[in-house]
Amino acid sequence: MEIVKVLHMNGGMGDTSYANNSLVQRKVITMTKPITEDAITQLYCSTLPKSLVIADLGCSSGPNTLFVVSELIKVVNQLRQKLRHQSPEYQVFLNDLPGNDFNTIFKSLPSFQKKMSSQSGAGAGPCFFAGVPGSFYGRLFPTKTLHFVHSSYSLQWLSKVPEKLEGNKGNIYMARTSPPSVLRAYHAQFQQDFSMFLKCRAEELVLSGRMVLTLLGRRSEDPSSKECCYIWELLAIVLNEMVSKGLIEEEKMDSFNIPQYTPSPSEVKSEVLKEGSFSIDCLEVSEVNWSIYNNNDGYNVAQCMRAVAEPLLVSHFGEAIIEEVFSRYREILSDRISKENTRFVNVIVSLIKKE
């Protein structure tokens, strides 16, 4: 599976699109707002740039893409009015892998810019947008050109499925039954990817530039803990049931693994310290319910997971099984949500580029 080609959220504006099934992600961005606002405030007040360059990495498509940008611009606009400064110009880079639905973003820009200019009032600087397709595990921008980097619910995705996962039969991710070698392989891939991400951004950010990163993670030091692996374990149950009914080939099931790693705060901290280009301003953990609607209906959770996982499943198993997979997944999710306290854990880190 070549991740760069197949990893993208469901595009468009339909029932199974990411645009219409990303309320959990929206809630997490809102919960992280105080940290993001504090970082952009410190950055603006310490540098007072004439042109402010913001990059949103792993921007996906839909309402969340421009939500973060609008909040950042609002904060800077209020600050410059308070300080009686001339408004900076804004350059916003929206990055994701090439398969991302950039067209939907670009179509929404005229109405977004109109709304922003009416909200910002007289004297607000112009805002220029550009899409940047490519992996953030490599260089994306020229040296020392970015002031602020934001990424939410993207960095848990790895650059590739780790190698040497042959012993992970019956699982599609790290699980309680995964051998230690599988857990080590996942962790090693995360270390390699996250340190490369930090190294690339260190070259692209100006001195004292800021990053706020939110990753799906875990509190526990056990990488196979239920708090981060359970939602994939339930999908594995569905796929195994379909293998037993002859709907999926066993070999296909055994060769499918999710390219994701959900780190603990200490693992994030360790990689930042090891890479050495950033100081940690804050490192926090938060939680959010699987179901934003606070009901026991697995439908919305299944739709959310489908918007994220469907392209990976289609590329490996083909399209024919998808409706059946998510119909069964919805049932099992409804059952577990009604009986258990099911939550996602988020790790948020705010970083400052060292001088």
Side-chain angles (χ1 to χ4, degrees):
M1 190 192 297
E2 200 175 338
I3 299 304
V4 169
K5 288 184 179 167
V6 301
L7 179 59
H8 58 85
M9 308 298 108
N10 273 349
M13 299 297 288
D15 286 348
T16 62
S17 69
Y18 182 82
N20 286 322
N21 294 285
S22 50
L23 280 175
V24 169
Q25 292 86 338
R26 175 78 161 221
K27 176 92 186 267
V28 171
I29 290 168
T30 305
M31 287 163 66
T32 312
K33 227 169 94 172
I35 295 170
T36 312
E37 290 187 358
D38 181 59
I40 195 80
T41 299
Q42 286 185 40
L43 171 82
Y44 179 73
C45 292
S46 63
T47 58
L48 300 173
K50 286 192 167 55
S51 175
L52 182 62
V53 184
I54 297 165
D56 192 6
L57 306 184
C59 65
S60 193
S61 64
N64 296 346
T65 301
L66 299 171
F67 175 57
V68 176
V69 172
S70 67
E71 292 300 310
L72 290 170
I73 292 172
K74 258 186 233 168
V75 171
V76 173
N77 194 49
Q78 286 164 0
L79 279 171
R80 66 100 191 162
Q81 286 174 328
K82 202 162 136 190
L83 297 167
R84 303 203 167 162
H85 287 163
Q86 194 176 345
S87 172
E89 294 185 343
Y90 302 96
Q91 169 75 68
V92 177
F93 291 114
L94 301 171
N95 155 262
D96 213 313
L97 291 173
N100 184 52
D101 183 7
F102 283 102
N103 283 343
T104 295
I105 302 172
F106 296 152
K107 283 174 190 166
S108 68
L109 281 176
S111 60
F112 173 79
Q113 287 178 303
K114 196 173 172 185
K115 186 177 153 197
M116 282 304 293
S117 66
S118 70
Q119 281 179 357
S120 300
C127 192
F128 306 102
F129 285 88
V132 182
S135 169
F136 51 46
Y137 294 126
R139 285 289 299 273
L140 291 165
F141 308 99
T143 303
K144 292 185 180 171
T145 52
L146 303 180
H147 293 97
F148 193 93
V149 170
H150 173 269
S151 182
S152 185
Y153 266 35
S154 298
L155 275 159
Q156 69 271 7
W157 292 105
L158 300 171
S159 66
K160 62 177 187 176
V161 174
E163 290 166 13
K164 298 178 183 162
L165 300 184
E166 293 80 16
N168 208 27
K169 283 191 165 54
N171 299 314
I172 61 170
Y173 185 51
M174 296 179 293
R176 284 162 289 183
T177 57
S178 297
S181 62
V182 166
L183 306 184
R184 283 195 299 271
Y186 266 102
H187 183 231
Q189 190 61 50
F190 167 74
Q191 288 178 304
Q192 184 185 320
D193 285 345
F194 192 50
S195 67
M196 180 54 75
F197 174 88
L198 294 170
K199 183 172 178 282
C200 292
R201 301 299 82 77
E203 291 178 41
E204 295 163 353
L205 277 157
V206 300
L207 294 181
S208 303
R210 303 290 300 232
M211 283 207 291
V212 177
L213 314 173
T214 303
L215 298 83
L216 201 52
R218 63 180 195 275
R219 291 181 188 274
S220 165
E221 289 308 319
D222 172 12
S224 65
S225 93
K226 192 174 175 180
E227 63 185 349
C228 58
C229 302
Y230 193 41
I231 202 150
W232 295 118
E233 283 183 35
L234 298 181
L235 183 56
I237 289 170
V238 168
L239 295 172
N240 280 315
E241 278 175 3
M242 292 175 71
V243 168
S244 68
K245 289 192 163 46
L247 300 170
I248 292 174
E249 291 170 37
E250 193 170 355
E251 283 169 27
K252 279 273 186 196
M253 171 63 192
D254 288 340
S255 60
F256 181 67
N257 288 285
I258 298 290
Q260 196 180 79
Y261 187 82
T262 37
S264 68
S266 66
E267 287 173 337
V268 170
K269 183 179 179 179
S270 169
E271 292 310 311
V272 172
L273 296 178
K274 214 189 303 176
E275 194 279 329
S277 301
F278 295 91
S279 56
I280 298 174
D281 187 43
C282 83
L283 178 62
E284 289 188 8
V285 179
S286 67
E287 291 184 5
V288 62
N289 286 335
W290 281 6
S291 177
I292 281 298
Y293 297 97
N294 293 323
N295 59 21
N296 296 335
D297 180 12
Y299 176 78
N300 295 304
V301 185
Q303 288 292 87
C304 172
M305 290 299 289
R306 180 171 181 168
V308 170
E310 183 171 356
L312 292 172
L313 289 163
V314 167
S315 81
H316 191 81
F317 297 105
E319 278 195 42
I321 65 156
I322 294 299
E323 292 305 325
E324 177 75 12
V325 167
F326 285 100
S327 167
R328 289 167 179 260
Y329 194 35
R330 189 159 60 241
E331 283 176 30
I332 201 169
L333 284 167
S334 295
D335 177 59
R336 301 305 164 95
I337 291 168
S338 69
K339 295 171 181 168
E340 301 174 43
N341 182 14
T342 50
R343 299 168 81 82
F344 293 117
V345 176
N346 315 304
V347 177
I348 307 113
V349 64
S350 180
L351 302 172
I352 307 170
K353 167 82 186 297
K354 285 182 186 174
E355 299 199 13

